[in-house]
Structures are given as structure tokens and as C-alpha cells.
Amino acid sequence: MSEQRADTLTWLDVNSWQFNLAERCILVDPWLVGDLVFSNTSWLIRGIRPQPVPVPERVDLLLLSQGLADHAHPETLEMLDKSIPVVASAAGAKVATEKGFTQVTILEPGESYRLGDDILIEALPGAPIGPLAQENAYILTVLSTGLRVYYEPHGYPDTELESRPPVDVAITPLVSLKLPVLGPVIRGGEGALELAQKAKPQWLLPTADGGDVTYEGVVAKFLTASGGAEVVRSQLVQAGLSTQIKALRPMETLTLDLTPHTVAV
């Protein structure tokens, strides 16, 4: 019998991740090719990747937390195999369906999806988008080991996390981004500390940073950043939390060689 491969997470820059869990490959909020533009308004803000990200040979699932272009990237979705199953928020599912994907599952907060007998994906309330809409956060549980990975890319941890078993790895922004008058676009530092207090992760991984990506346009000039890994690390120590920050470089892979909080039943 061949030995099972280790579980790994690879940061593909900004909000994009590749989860290799239980020998399943899951692309999370993938932006792999082309520029990042919202509603064809490149003059407003445009994200530029220095080079495309190779598509893995096998992709078992696309997991989309939001319907915005930096999570459901239209050009990336156009070039991916349309037979790949998609699990998404309602807004993300709408984009995937419009791009021709044939197996699209909408997960509302409180609902779950099983990827075979290997992974349980649970949807939680995520980031508010405007006054009326709210997107998704996810907890992925490897059923054979109990390993739990939390993902939410805008820094809005749900209060429900306090009543759930702790997670082992949490992916969340550590940098806050704000616009004049409009306020926070991403709640990094404050959201990360709240998440650590609620979910008790062993490891905290930053997302939403623009590692090798550059931005131009009107909005980019007015964005102000605060927080960051060192600030959050200090906050964790002051709060008496043992959570470790694991900051990755773009395309770096982290092996999840930790003992899960929760033992598989």
C-alpha cells in the first residue's frame, strides 16, 4: 500500500490558494491568468500578475468564497475545465454558471458539502458585500485525521466560531486596507485577532496580500494599509494566545505537519 501524501497548502498570491488535502486538489478563489479588473473598469483598479500560475494536472474542486472578480476571476474560470465541480457562495455560483461550469453547488451558511469520503466543507457567514449581501467563509475538515482548515479572505470571523471545535489552520488577512470615507475594504489586524480568539487556530496564514502582484488605477492610489504579520503577532502574544503566524511567499507550499486539535472519529 502506498503511503498517503502529506497535506499541504500553497499560496498562489493575493486570495488564491491550492489546498492539497487527503490527496484531493482544491483551488480556492483562483486568479491564475490575466489581469484583475472589476466590471471592466481598469481605470479604477487593475491588478497585474507578473506571470500566469500553472494549472495543476488534476483539480478535484473549485471553492469560491465570493462572486467578486478577485475571488471568482472571470478569465481564470473561462480557461479551466468546465467539468470540474464548483462549490461556491450564491454570487460565486452565478459567475461559475455563467462561465459554463456544469456541476455547481451553492452553499449557504449552515450548509455543507462532502468531497467523496475525504473532506467535509462547511459554509459559514463571511464578509458583507454592500448593505444587503454577505459572502462565505469555509471550514474544510479532513475526515480521516480531523484536520480543520478555515478560510475567509476579508477579515470577518463569525461569532459562531466560538461554539465550534477549534480549527488547526486559519487563513485570513493580516493587513487592513481602507479607503477614505468608505472605510475598511479588508479588516486585517483586527479581524485576525478576533479570529484567533474565537477559533483558536494553531497556525494563522495571511491572505489577500499582493506578494508579486502590482496594482494601478484611481482606487489603488487612495488605499491605505495598516497592520501586518508583526503587528498581529504582537497582539497574539498580548492576548496570551499560542497561535503561530506562518507567512508564505507567492507559490510557496506549507506542509501541515501538525497534530489536529480534533481527532477523527
Side-chain angles (χ1 to χ4, degrees):
M1 182 180 294
S2 61
E3 185 177 348
Q4 184 168 322
R5 295 176 184 172
D7 293 328
T8 62
L9 304 177
T10 302
W11 184 42
L12 308 180
D13 213 334
V14 193
N15 295 309
S16 302
W17 290 81
Q18 179 178 328
F19 292 180
N20 287 93
L21 304 173
E23 300 192 347
R24 299 282 197 152
C25 177
I26 301 174
L27 287 181
V28 181
D29 288 353
W31 165 27
L32 308 182
V33 298
D35 292 344
L36 173 63
V37 176
F38 296 86
S39 303
N40 295 316
T41 55
S42 57
W43 58 272
L44 199 59
I45 188 166
R46 176 181 173 223
I48 303 168
R49 270 194 175 280
Q51 58 189 20
V53 175
V55 179
E57 288 185 13
R58 189 191 85 188
V59 179
D60 295 292
L61 187 76
L62 298 182
L63 185 62
L64 308 179
S65 66
Q66 302 183 18
L68 297 174
D70 54 336
H71 304 277
H73 184 246
E75 191 172 344
T76 296
L77 295 179
E78 285 172 2
M79 55 91 67
L80 290 173
D81 183 347
K82 301 306 181 293
S83 67
I84 299 172
V86 179
V87 171
S89 68
K94 182 176 183 293
V95 178
T97 300
E98 290 171 349
K99 294 302 177 184
F101 285 86
T102 57
Q103 302 179 64
V104 180
T105 301
I106 297 173
L107 273 197
E108 299 288 352
E111 296 180 341
S112 63
Y113 174 94
R114 288 176 73 105
L115 183 56
D117 294 324
D118 303 312
I119 299 171
L120 176 68
I121 300 173
E122 300 171 272
L124 286 74
I129 305 297
L132 300 176
Q134 189 169 36
E135 295 282 24
N136 281 1
Y138 297 108
I139 294 177
L140 293 84
T141 302
V142 178
L143 296 174
S144 62
T145 64
L147 178 76
R148 290 162 57 80
V149 177
Y150 171 89
Y151 173 79
E152 198 285 308
H154 279 207
Y156 288 86
D158 187 60
T159 54
E160 179 187 339
L161 286 166
E162 292 179 314
S163 60
R164 287 174 168 264
V167 302
D168 300 295
V169 179
I171 299 174
T172 191
L174 302 190
V175 173
S176 297
L177 295 178
K178 296 182 180 180
L179 283 170
V181 182
L182 296 179
V185 177
I186 292 177
R187 295 176 71 249
E190 59 270 49
L193 179 60
E194 291 172 17
L195 173 60
Q197 291 170 326
K198 291 181 172 76
K200 304 294 191 295
Q202 299 184 56
W203 293 352
L204 200 59
L205 277 58
T207 194
D209 289 358
D212 291 334
V213 169
T214 56
Y215 290 94
E216 59 184 36
V218 175
V219 171
K221 296 176 182 178
F222 291 100
L223 279 172
T224 58
S226 61
E230 290 307 315
V231 172
V232 174
R233 187 174 285 116
S234 176
Q235 292 173 338
L236 293 171
V237 171
Q238 292 176 13
L241 298 172
S242 60
T243 300
Q244 299 179 47
I245 293 176
K246 302 281 187 178
L248 305 184
R249 299 182 304 276
M251 305 308 298
E252 183 178 359
T253 296
L254 178 68
T255 299
L256 303 183
D257 52 356
L258 41 68
T259 302
H261 279 304
T262 306
V263 178
V265 178

